[in-house]
């Protein structure tokens, strides 16, 4: 379990290093939005090698994808971790669209990714989606995982304030059951 890819963003939002509580989390919308970016103002989920571009989009805003894929220490650390540990499957969490999204990078959704998407969605009660269509995605981490043939899904929480613990626990237990075979 990697609790966060962006420690700079967490610091921006909580004002503290290490553990934090809900009381530490800013309620200021500008601070919360700034938490998406690292200290170099790069959107780390636009810094991976699937359709990477220097300029990407998040919601309706132009964002930096960095100077190249994996130009940021955080995304490079994830790349190195994945290449050394070779995970069978990866589940990531973001907010907020309320659904489970399959990963893909030009080769379509793999059968394993489709099965994982369905299992997590069915157990959690989130709807499942083959493609994220809210806006164009470039340099996305789970799509890079698909490119290197690692089964991966994105779980987008329903809002920015609730972990939806029961739903996500049910989803994770379904993942464990699927891979315990």
């Amino acid at each position: 379990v990697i609790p966060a890819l962006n420690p700079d963003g967490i610091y921006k939002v909580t004002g503290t290093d290490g553990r934090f509580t809900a009381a530490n989390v800013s309620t200021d919308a500008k601070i919360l939005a700034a938490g998406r970016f690292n200290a170099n103002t790069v959107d780390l989920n636009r810094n991976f090698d699937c359709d990477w571009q220097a300029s990407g989009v998040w919601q309706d805003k132009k964002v930096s994808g960095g100077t190249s894929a994996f130009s940021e220490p955080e995304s490079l650390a994830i790349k190195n971790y994945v290449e050394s540990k070779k995970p069978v499957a990866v589940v990531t969490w973001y907010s907020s669209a309320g659904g489970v999204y399959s990963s893909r990078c030009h080769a379509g959704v793999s059968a394993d990714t489709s099965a994982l998407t369905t299992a997590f969605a069915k157990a959690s009660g989130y709807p499942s989606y083959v493609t994220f269509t809210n806006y164009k995605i470039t340099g996305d981490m789970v799509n890079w995982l698909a490119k290197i043939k690692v089964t991966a899904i994105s779980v987008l929480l329903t809002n920015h304030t609730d972990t939806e613990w029961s739903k996500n626990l049910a989803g994770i237990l379904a993942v464990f059951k699927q891979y315990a075979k």
Side-chain angles (χ1 to χ4, degrees), residues 13 16 20 28 48 50 54 84 93 101 109 126 139 152-153 164 170 173:
V13 170
T16 186
F20 60 89
D28 182 294
F48 289 83
C50 174
S84 69
W93 280 266
Y101 294 82
V109 177
Y126 287 114
I153 61 171
E164 301 172 319
L173 292 174

Side-chain angles (χ1 to χ4, degrees), residues 130-169:
V130 172
T131 307
F132 183 83
T133 59
N134 297 20
Y135 50 87
K136 184 179 178 181
I137 300 294
T138 58
D140 181 76
M141 182 172 73
V142 295
N143 289 340
W144 164 72
L145 289 164
K147 181 179 180 178
I148 63 168
K149 307 213 180 322
V150 174
T151 300
I153 61 171
S154 294
V155 179
L156 277 68
L157 303 172
T158 305
N159 59 56
H160 297 296
T161 58
D162 187 357
T163 61
E164 301 172 319
W165 174 250
S166 296
K167 291 174 82 164
N168 284 288
L169 176 59

Side-chain angles (χ1 to χ4, degrees), residues 3-121:
L5 174 62
N6 187 358
D8 297 332
I10 290 175
Y11 185 81
K12 289 176 190 177
V13 170
T14 66
T16 186
D17 288 320
R19 292 189 177 268
F20 60 89
T21 67
N24 298 113
V25 178
S26 175
T27 57
D28 182 294
K30 286 186 179 181
I31 291 173
L32 293 172
R36 174 131 182 134
F37 308 98
N38 73 354
N40 299 327
T41 64
V42 171
D43 183 330
L44 296 173
N45 205 34
R46 300 296 175 265
N47 193 238
F48 289 83
D49 186 24
C50 174
D51 296 329
W52 176 86
Q53 295 179 7
S55 181
V57 175
W58 169 59
Q59 297 176 341
D60 61 351
K61 302 162 189 65
K62 279 189 111 173
V63 297
S64 172
T67 57
S68 63
F70 305 111
S71 64
E72 302 307 299
E74 301 92 342
S75 54
L76 183 59
I78 291 294
K79 177 183 185 284
N80 292 339
Y81 180 85
V82 166
E83 289 176 349
S84 69
K85 300 297 182 187
K86 301 186 183 340
V88 174
V90 174
V91 178
T92 63
W93 280 266
Y94 305 96
S95 62
S96 69
V100 182
Y101 294 82
S102 298
S103 61
R104 59 192 291 145
C105 189
H106 304 290
V109 177
S110 74
D112 289 342
T113 295
S114 181
L116 181 60
T117 303
T118 300
F120 196 103

